[in-house]
Amino acid sequence: QVQLVESGGGLVQAGGSLRLSCAASGRTFSNYAMGWFRQAPGKEREFITAISWREGTYYADSVKGRFTISRDNAKNTVYLQMNSLKPEDTAVYYCAATLGSYYSNYPYWGQGTQVTVSS
């Protein structure tokens, strides 16, 4: 099992940047594919990016070219660098972990961190 804690959210102006972190417990972090999802008010949760245990990366079209996912297995942490933020990026951001493929179900979730982008 793994426990996840996100941090780094906040308020930023459009065009700005934020870096989210997700710290994981456990000694087998490197075996997990890690994903970032977000949920805006009144909308369903959506996948935005993932990184496999082999460090392959995958992005939703809505964030491709603006967001970058990375991981540091020595620190049991996955990061989400968000650049050129837009008001429509406003959402609660969640990290998630799975021992399956990045497109499989994610059984482990963090509590979420709020990102607000002002226009």
Side-chain angles (χ1 to χ4, degrees):
Q1 226 177 16
V2 63
Q3 294 181 325
L4 306 172
V5 179
E6 302 97 335
S7 61
L11 174 64
V12 63
Q13 288 188 333
S17 298
L18 279 176
R19 188 175 83 155
L20 306 184
S21 299
C22 174
S25 65
R27 293 176 291 179
T28 59
F29 173 76
S30 60
N31 293 342
Y32 288 83
M34 301 296 297
W36 285 97
F37 296 75
R38 67 185 180 188
Q39 187 167 20
K43 295 188 177 181
E44 293 187 353
R45 186 172 59 197
E46 64 169 338
F47 166 85
I48 53 175
T49 183
I51 185 166
S52 70
W53 66 271
R54 293 179 177 176
E55 302 198 20
T57 56
Y58 312 89
Y59 296 92
D61 288 344
S62 58
V63 304
K64 199 173 295 182
R66 300 188 299 122
F67 291 11
T68 303
I69 189 172
S70 61
R71 66 190 300 160
D72 185 336
N73 290 335
K75 295 182 178 180
N76 280 13
T77 301
V78 62
Y79 303 98
L80 180 63
Q81 178 67 44
M82 306 186 294
N83 299 328
S84 301
L85 283 161
K86 304 175 182 180
E88 51 263 43
D89 295 317
T90 295
V92 178
Y93 284 69
Y94 300 89
C95 72
T98 179
L99 286 172
S101 300
Y102 79 95
Y103 49 82
S104 65
N105 290 333
Y106 285 77
Y108 307 110
W109 293 82
Q111 83 289 350
T113 186
Q114 176 71 46
V115 172
T116 303
V117 184
S118 64
S119 57

